[in-house]
Amino acid sequence: MKSTLLYLLMIAAFAGLPSCNKGPGTSEIKKVIKVPADVTDLSAAVGQASDGTTIILSPGTYKANDIDITKAITITSEWKDSGDVSKIDQTIIDAQDQILFNIKAAGAEISGLRIIKGDHTMNITANTTIKYCHFDDNLDALSFESGSGGYAGYNVITNDRDDGMDMDIGSNKNNIGSDVTVEHNSISNSHDDGIEIRLYEAANQNIKYNIHDNIFTGSNNTGIQLISYDVYTGKVFQIHHNIFTKCKTGLGCMEGSNTKEDLTGATKMDELVWLYNNTFVENQMGATGGNKVIAFNNIVLKNSLGGFKKFGPASVIKNNLFFGNGTPDLVENNPAVTAEGSINADPQLDAATFKPLTGSPCIDAGVAQVNAGNETMALLPESVSGKAPDLGAVELK
């Protein structure tokens, strides 16, 4: 499965880059800087760059850290121009147990690089794009701090010494940050969480998190952890079409700013969490909830301590498949929360891809729209191949 996943994630679809552009005056501003051909040092290349510059690193191993990015530049490998995915793992930056980039400029992009041995390696405080990178043996590979937001997609994050992604958006109430999309990443063997998200205490943050089509494998604590500070923030989470496997829990909601996963749930967390079309398989617990988790179209399979736990009074559990869980499928949920339309049957999934096999009870067994109070979630028509959505993260095409 691992090699197949890497090929699926490392897709290149980028056009050629312009080489230069006339600046204002008589000097010519280079729009592409090649390292080491044009400038031998990455930090020096960043210093010479202007808004819109692309820095392309040739294959090799570079040692660099504590580089401030204060302009809307792109730092990448020859993959960006050629589409040759082998260039990603051939272009290595060793951050030597320090921050690699302090990303302070909106519009910056880091892509197509292998980045190793950093500590809070991408320190992000602006709207940023991180894509098609491979991170290994870092401590918090991606740190989205207050003031940040943007996009993290098609990255491979392995063996992180804490969290694969650490999201502290909202820690500064005077500079909250913006919406974030996390898609098509593979995050495996994180010492703590695949993604750790702190909600913080500022009211009216109203940040939207769209986390979809990721694979979380072997997190010692959670695939995704939501840490409530027991104050309503207005944050909204869409967590869908993800695979969670061999973690302590797939989704873990915490209260009282607690970060140590104890599977107790978050009885004071009122943020809206849309949890749909995920596959939770062979974790200890499928998910622990807050007060308003809308869970539908999920597969909850062979989780040794149970399926969904501590889902609060405004939660909905609808059209999910539960099978082979070690204790009751629903654990200590609010009595008002019932499992409407549940299926208890072997989902018949492909062992490598978790796609339903022909004849699976997951096929066309989902719902396309769910209403919860004044809230509605409707699946996009293009995500449904049959007469109704399939259950789980992978639609049978």
Side-chain angles (χ1 to χ4, degrees):
M1 177 181 175
K2 185 174 180 180
S3 60
T4 303
L5 174 63
L6 292 177
Y7 280 111
L8 290 174
L9 291 174
M10 291 183 280
I11 302 166
F14 294 91
L17 298 166
S19 61
C20 63
N21 186 40
K22 271 291 189 189
T26 58
S27 63
E28 190 174 78
I29 300 174
K30 294 194 75 175
K31 288 296 182 184
V32 171
I33 298 175
K34 295 187 176 182
V35 178
D38 299 329
V39 179
T40 57
D41 179 73
L42 174 57
S43 181
V46 172
Q48 293 181 25
S50 59
D51 284 341
T53 296
T54 296
I55 297 172
I56 298 180
L57 279 67
S58 296
T61 299
Y62 303 82
K63 292 185 177 181
N65 50 58
D66 203 26
I67 297 174
D68 289 342
I69 298 178
T70 58
K71 297 171 184 175
I73 64 175
T74 295
I75 301 176
T76 188
S77 67
E78 292 178 357
W79 156 86
K80 179 83 167 181
D81 202 15
S82 68
D84 182 354
V85 297
S86 70
K87 299 296 184 183
I88 298 174
D89 279 335
Q90 293 172 19
T91 311
I92 303 166
I93 304 179
D94 182 344
Q96 301 174 289
D97 290 313
Q98 298 184 55
I99 292 170
L100 174 55
F101 296 126
N102 294 297
I103 305 175
K104 305 176 181 181
E109 175 188 314
I110 311 297
S111 60
L113 299 167
R114 183 173 181 226
I115 298 170
I116 64 173
K117 299 179 181 177
D119 185 338
H120 293 75
T121 313
M122 301 281 126
N123 186 40
I124 305 165
T125 56
N127 195 294
T128 300
T129 295
I130 312 289
K131 61 185 180 182
Y132 292 95
C133 287
H134 299 173
F135 295 89
D136 186 61
D137 192 24
N138 294 274
L139 192 154
D140 290 355
L142 277 66
S143 293
F144 284 84
E145 304 297 330
S146 205
S148 70
Y151 179 84
Y154 297 91
N155 301 292
V156 177
I157 302 174
T158 56
N159 303 314
D160 197 279
R161 286 172 275 144
D162 191 14
D163 308 313
M165 298 186 193
D166 184 32
M167 294 194 170
D168 289 342
I169 299 171
S171 59
N172 179 355
K173 66 181 181 180
N174 297 315
N175 186 21
I176 296 294
S178 57
D179 297 347
V180 61
T181 296
V182 179
E183 66 176 9
H184 299 286
N185 301 281
S186 170
I187 305 178
S188 61
N189 301 324
S190 295
H191 181 75
D192 196 4
D193 307 312
I195 303 176
E196 180 188 274
I197 302 173
R198 294 176 184 264
L199 276 60
Y200 289 105
E201 297 169 311
N204 300 314
Q205 293 181 43
N206 302 322
I207 300 295
K208 294 180 175 61
Y209 296 77
N210 191 359
I211 304 173
H212 67 92
D213 292 281
N214 304 284
I215 299 178
F216 300 90
T217 306
S219 296
N220 280 346
N221 279 312
T222 61
I224 300 173
Q225 186 177 70
L226 306 182
I227 303 169
S228 171
Y229 284 58
D230 304 344
V231 175
Y232 180 69
T233 64
K235 289 185 172 182
V236 176
F237 298 90
Q238 290 188 40
I239 300 172
H240 61 101
H241 293 91
N242 303 287
I243 295 169
F244 301 89
T245 183
K246 295 180 171 58
C247 304
K248 186 171 185 179
T249 185
L251 170 68
C253 297
M254 314 291 291
E255 65 183 32
S257 71
N258 179 28
T259 67
K260 184 175 176 58
E261 183 55 64
D262 55 10
L263 304 180
T264 58
T267 60
K268 299 178 182 178
M269 187 181 116
D270 294 324
E271 282 76 9
L272 174 61
V273 181
W274 294 102
L275 185 69
Y276 62 95
N277 283 100
N278 300 285
T279 297
F280 301 91
V281 56
E282 295 184 352
N283 307 285
Q284 290 184 39
M285 181 69 67
T288 61
N291 288 333
K292 196 174 185 180
V293 181
I294 315 302
F296 62 99
N297 295 358
N298 299 288
I299 295 173
V300 189
L301 173 68
K302 296 181 180 178
N303 299 282
S304 61
L305 297 180
F308 291 158
K309 180 179 179 180
K310 281 287 185 75
F311 281 34
S315 297
V316 173
I317 300 176
K318 183 180 178 67
N319 284 69
N320 301 280
L321 182 146
F322 299 94
F323 186 74
N325 298 299
T327 57
D329 299 320
L330 305 181
V331 184
E332 300 175 25
N333 292 315
N334 187 280
V337 180
T338 60
E340 179 185 349
S342 291
I343 297 173
N344 193 300
D346 185 343
Q348 300 178 42
L349 305 179
D350 181 271
T353 65
F354 301 104
K355 180 184 291 188
L357 301 172
T358 302
S360 165
C362 299
I363 297 171
D364 295 344
V367 289
Q369 179 174 304
V370 167
N371 302 315
N374 295 325
E375 311 287 349
T376 299
M377 175 61 65
L379 273 63
L380 296 174
E382 55 266 30
S383 69
V384 180
S385 62
K387 62 183 180 181
D390 295 343
L391 303 183
V394 186
E395 181 86 4
L396 180 64
K397 302 297 184 182

